[in-house]
C-alpha cells in the first residue's frame, strides 16, 4: 500500500537534559521502563496521541500519565473515583444525567486555568471530529454537555448508561486546553499538553517515537500521588531486545509485553537482581471477519472455522502458561462470561465443520488468507497464525495462506475492509462486560464491521446499560454471546495473563500494570540506598 509518511519536526534540546539526573542522589535518577508498544505517526494516522484519535493500549498509556480525566479507576480496580473532579454522580434514577464538580484551583501544566468549559470543549471536540479510529464511540450515549459556572458539568445522555463513569475515566475523555487543541482538527505528532501528574517530552526518529520522558507536574491537583519525579518509557522492537536492556541495566523494568519464553526463563531460572511478577490480565485475542467479503460472507464458513480451530492445542503450542483458551468475547474473570463457542462447536471438531459446510452447499477447500500484524502483539503472533493455518489445512476443508503486515499499515487496511479475515487483540477500556461487546457490535464500533444484529444493537445493549447493578446484566450478556457464537462475526481464541519483570531495587511494580494493561508509572519508586 502506498502511504504518505509524516516527518515530524525535531524537538529542540530533547534528550541530554531529559536524561540527566535532577540531583546528585541515586533516587533522583529517572526510572526507565521498557515496552514493545510502537508509536508511529503516518499519513493514515498522523495524530497518534490526540485523545480524539488514540485508541490502543500503548498510546492510552502515554495519555494516562499526562492528560487528566474527571474520574479514574483506582489502584486494584473497582468503581471509578474522582480525579480532576471533586465529586461525580448520577443525578437521576434512570442513569441519564451525570453531574461532576471540579476540584478548586485546577490548572493545566503551563498554568492556564482549567474550568468546566474545558471539559465540555474536550468532550464535544471528540464527538465532532469523530475520527475513524473508533474512540468517539465510547461517548455515543452523550447527548449534550452543560456547564454551570466554572466548576460544574452535567452530561445529558441520550439513553441510560450505567457504564458512563467508566467511560469518563478513559483517555478519550481527557481534559484539553482549547488553546492547544483545535476544535475540528487532530493535533499531529507526539506532543501532549494536559493537567495530569506528568508533563511529557518525546524523542522520535522520523515518524516513530522511541522515548517518552515524563517529568512530575508541580501544578498537578488530583487523586494521584506520584512516587517518583521522572520516568522514561523506551520502545523496543521486540521482547528480546527489551530483555537484553533489562539484563544490562539499561532499563529498570519490562512492562508490555514479555514473551512466553522470557516468562519461562525468568520463572524457572531466576536471574540475580531481577524479579518477575504475574499480574491478572483481561486481554483477549480473536479473529475478525469482513462479513461482506465473498470468502467468508457465508456464515457456515465462519462457523466451520470455529469448529476446526483447536484453541487448547493453539495455546499449548504457542503461549504455554501465559494464556488460556477462550470460548466467548467476555473473558472468564469478568461477570457475564459463558462458553457458547465450546457448547456450539467444541474444539478441533472436523466432522462438525464438514457438516456445516455441506449443509450450506459450500465448495471445499475454502481459500482464505489470514492477516495479522507483525509488530503490535509480540513475536509469538507469527507462530500463532502458522498454527492456525496448519490446523485449518489439516482439516482438508480450507486452503489457507497467512500474511503479516506492520501495524501502521495493518490497522488502516483492516478498517477499510481490505481483509476478509484478520487477527486482533483487545485490552479493555474499562473492566465491564459492556466493553467486550459494544466495541465489536455497537454502531461506529472499533472494527468497522459490516455485521449488524438489530436485536443486539437496538435492544440488548441498551437493556444491559440500564442495570446500575452490573451483575444484574449477566443474563443479557449471555444472550448476546449466544448470538455471537451463532453468527460468528468474530471468533474468540484465547485470553492472556500479564507479566512484568524489574530490577529488585524498584518498588511499586505489582501496582504499575492493571488488569486492563494500564501503565500507572506514578506507582514506581527506587529503593533508597542510604
Amino acid at each position: 500500500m502506498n502511504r504518505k509518511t509524516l516527518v515530524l519536526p525535531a524537538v529542540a534540546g530533547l534528550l541530554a537534559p531529559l536524561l540527566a539526573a535532577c540531583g546528585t542522589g541515586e533516587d533522583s535518577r529517572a526510572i526507565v521502563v521498557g515496552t514493545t508498544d510502537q508509536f508511529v505517526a503516518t499519513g493514515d494516522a498522523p495524530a497518534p496521541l490526540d485523545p480524539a484519535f488514540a485508541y490502543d493500549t500503548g498510546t492510552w498509556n502515554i495519555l494516562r500519565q499526562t492528560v487528566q480525566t474527571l474520574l479514574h479507576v483506582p489502584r486494584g480496580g473497582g468503581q471509578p473515583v474522582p480525579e480532576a473532579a471533586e465529586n461525580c454522580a448520577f443525578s437521576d434514577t434512570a442513569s441519564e444525567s451525570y453531574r461532576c464538580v471540579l476540584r478548586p484551583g485546577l490548572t493545566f501544566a503551563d498554568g492556564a486555568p482549567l474550568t468546566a468549559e474545558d471539559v465540555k470543549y474536550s468532550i464535544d471536540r471528540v464527538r465532532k471530529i469523530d475520527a475513524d479510529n473508533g474512540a468517539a464511540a465510547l461517548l455515543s450515549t452523550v447527548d449534550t454537555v452543560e456547564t454551570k459556572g466554572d466548576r460544574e458539568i452535567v452530561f445529558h445522555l441520550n439513553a441510560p448508561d450505567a457504564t458512563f463513569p467508566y467511560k469518563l475515566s478513559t483517555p478519550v475523555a481527557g481534559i484539553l486546553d482549547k488553546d492547544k487543541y483545535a476544535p475540528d482538527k487532530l493535533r499531529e505528532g507526539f506532543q501532549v499538553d494536559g493537567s495530569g501528574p506528568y508533563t511529557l517530552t518525546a524523542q522520535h526518529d522520523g515518524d516513530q517515537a522511541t522515548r517518552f520522558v515524563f517529568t512530575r507536574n508541580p501544578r498537578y491537583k488530583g487523586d494521584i500521588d506520584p512516587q517518583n519525579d521522572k520516568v522514561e518509557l523506551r520502545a523496543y522492537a521486540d521482547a528480546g531486545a527489551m530483555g537484553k536492556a533489562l539484563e544490562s541495566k539499561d532499563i529498570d523494568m519490562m512492562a508490555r509485553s514479555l514473551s512466553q519464553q522470557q516468562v519461562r526463563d525468568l520463572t524457572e531460572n531466576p536471574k540475580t537482581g531481577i524479579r518477575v511478577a504475574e499480574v491478572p490480565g483481561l486481554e483477549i485475542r480473536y479473529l475478525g471477519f469482513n462479513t461482506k467479503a465473498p470468502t467468508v460472507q457465508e456464515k457456515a464458513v465462519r462457523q466451520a472455522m470455529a469448529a476446526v480451530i483447536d484453541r487448547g492445542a493453539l495455546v499449548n503450542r504457542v503461549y504455554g502458561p501465559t494464556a488460556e483458551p477462550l470460548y466467548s468475547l467476555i473473558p472468564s474473570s469478568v461477570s457475564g462470561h459463558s462458553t457458547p463457542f465450546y457448547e456450539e462447536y467444541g474444539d478441533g471438531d472436523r466432522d462438525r465443520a464438514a457438516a456445516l459446510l455441506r449443509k450450506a452447499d459450500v465448495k471445499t477447500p475454502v481459500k482464505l488468507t489470514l492477516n495479522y500484524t507483525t509488530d503490535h502483539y509480540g513475536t509469538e503472533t507469527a507462530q500463532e497464525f502458522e498454527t492456525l493455518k496448519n490446523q485449518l489445512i489439516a482439516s482438508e476443508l480450507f486452503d489457507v495462506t497467512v500474511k503479516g503486515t506492520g501495524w501502521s499499515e495493518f490497522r488502516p487496511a483492516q478498517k477499510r475492509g481490505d481483509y476478509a479475515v484478520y487477527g486482533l487483540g483487545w485490552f479493555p477500556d474499562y473492566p465491564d462486560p459492556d466493553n467486550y461487546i459494544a466495541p465489536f457490535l455497537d454502531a461506529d464500533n472499533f472494527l468497522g464491521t459490516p455485521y449488524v444484529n438489530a436485536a443486539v444493537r437496538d435492544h440488548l445493549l441498551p437493556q444491559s446499560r440500564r442495570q446500575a447493578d452490573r451483575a444484574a446484566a449477566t443474563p443479557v450478556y449471555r444472550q448476546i454471546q449466544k448470538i455471537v457464537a451463532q453468527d460468528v462475526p468474530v471468533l474468540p481464541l484465547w485470553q492472556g495473563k500479564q507479566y512484568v519483570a524489574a530490577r529488585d531495587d524498584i518498588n511499586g511494580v505489582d501496582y504499575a500494570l492493571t488488569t486492563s494493561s494500564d501503565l500507572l508509572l506514578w506507582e514506581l519508586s527506587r529503593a533508597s540506598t542510604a
Side-chain angles (χ1 to χ4, degrees), residues 69-75 79-83 168-169 223-224 522:
T69 49
L70 290 170
L71 303 156
H72 77 125
V73 177
R75 175 206 282 184
Q79 295 288 324
V81 298
E83 213 289 71
L168 287 183
S169 73
D223 190 57
I224 293 165
W522 53 81

Side-chain angles (χ1 to χ4, degrees), residues 37-39 48-67 69 126 133-139 166-174 192 212 214 233 256 376 426-431 435 439 446 516-522:
D37 290 320
Q38 303 298 302
F39 307 92
L49 296 183
D50 190 318
F53 180 84
Y55 200 20
D56 67 80
T57 303
T59 54
W60 271 22
N61 280 335
I62 303 298
L63 294 173
R64 288 185 193 279
Q65 324 303 319
T66 51
V67 177
T69 49
V126 171
N133 208 30
L138 283 171
L139 303 176
Y166 280 110
K167 295 170 181 176
L168 287 183
S169 73
T170 67
V172 73
V192 179
F212 297 94
F214 302 96
L233 187 69
R256 288 170 35 86
H376 198 66
W426 183 253
F427 299 85
D429 307 320
Y430 47 91
N435 198 235
F446 169 76
S516 300
S517 295
D518 306 334
L519 268 178
L520 311 183
L521 296 179
W522 53 81

Side-chain angles (χ1 to χ4, degrees), residues 328-352:
S328 78
L329 282 176
I330 300 175
S332 60
S333 49
V334 175
S335 65
H337 169 76
S338 58
T339 57
F341 275 86
Y342 186 81
E343 293 153 12
E344 189 73 27
Y345 307 107
D347 244 352
D349 191 339
R350 192 265 182 200
D351 293 340
R352 171 71 171 145

Side-chain angles (χ1 to χ4, degrees), residues 195-209:
S195 58
Y198 296 99
T199 59
L200 171 71
T201 310
Q203 180 187 25
H204 57 83
D205 182 7
D207 61 358
Q208 185 158 7

